[in-house]
Amino acid sequence: MIDLDASILLTIVYVAVLYVFLSPFFFGPFTRILKERREAIEGSLDQAGRRIAEVEKKTAEYESAVREVRSEAYRQQETIRDAALEEKARLLADARQEADKIIKDARARLRAETADARKRLEAEIDTLAVRLSDSLLEDPQ
């Protein structure tokens, strides 16, 4: 068995008395400080949670706004592209009409020049035929 002598019992009594006297002066304030720290940490965690939620909300709003702006930009880009394609088609149609007109005018001019050349040649054929026949009929002597 364990021998309990008086010094061990006296030490236990001293520790108990010391605890009773130190509780209000040391352990009470120490416990209060720990409680205050715990409450401050919990408050900071709550505040951090609220800020995180606020940041996530603002991030979602920002992303939504960016999507809307991109969508509007794509719509405007599509409108501009459609207008450019219409302008291109109009310019091509105008160029084709102008080219057709130039070709038509050139063909008409060519026909007129051909007809004029035929008329001149027909008019000269008679004189050339007369000259040729005269030269053939002339006496080479």
Side-chain angles (χ1 to χ4, degrees):
M1 288 220 24
I2 301 177
D3 288 336
L4 293 177
D5 65 349
S7 67
I8 292 179
L9 288 177
L10 191 60
T11 303
I12 292 174
V13 170
Y14 283 147
V15 169
V17 169
L18 187 63
Y19 178 76
V20 168
F21 283 113
L22 285 180
S23 286
F25 300 112
F26 179 72
F27 294 124
F30 185 71
T31 306
R32 182 181 44 82
I33 289 172
L34 287 177
K35 181 180 176 185
E36 288 173 358
R37 282 183 112 186
R38 185 180 322 111
E39 289 172 354
I41 290 171
E42 288 173 355
S44 295
L45 288 174
D46 290 343
Q47 185 179 13
R50 285 191 304 273
R51 286 188 179 174
I52 287 172
E54 184 179 325
V55 166
E56 288 174 349
K57 179 183 173 187
K58 288 191 179 199
T59 300
E61 290 173 359
Y62 168 78
E63 289 172 352
S64 175
V66 167
R67 276 192 301 275
E68 288 178 26
V69 167
R70 281 188 181 146
S71 177
E72 179 62 27
Y74 290 140
R75 278 194 297 274
Q76 288 179 358
Q77 191 177 31
E78 193 66 25
T79 301
I80 290 169
R81 186 176 85 56
D82 290 344
L85 288 174
E86 289 174 7
E87 180 70 12
K88 177 184 173 184
R90 187 188 63 75
L91 289 174
L92 283 173
D94 290 348
R96 282 189 185 112
Q97 286 177 350
E98 185 69 25
D100 289 344
K101 183 179 181 277
I102 290 170
I103 290 170
K104 183 180 174 184
D105 290 346
R107 285 181 179 159
R109 221 177 26 248
L110 184 62
R111 277 194 290 275
E113 288 175 6
T114 303
D116 186 43
R118 276 192 182 141
K119 285 180 187 176
R120 278 184 290 149
L121 286 175
E122 286 175 1
E124 289 181 20
I125 284 179
D126 290 336
T127 46
L128 288 175
V130 169
R131 273 195 214 166
L132 184 59
S133 64
D134 283 345
S135 71
L136 289 175
L137 292 176
E138 271 186 13
D139 195 15
Q141 297 176 359

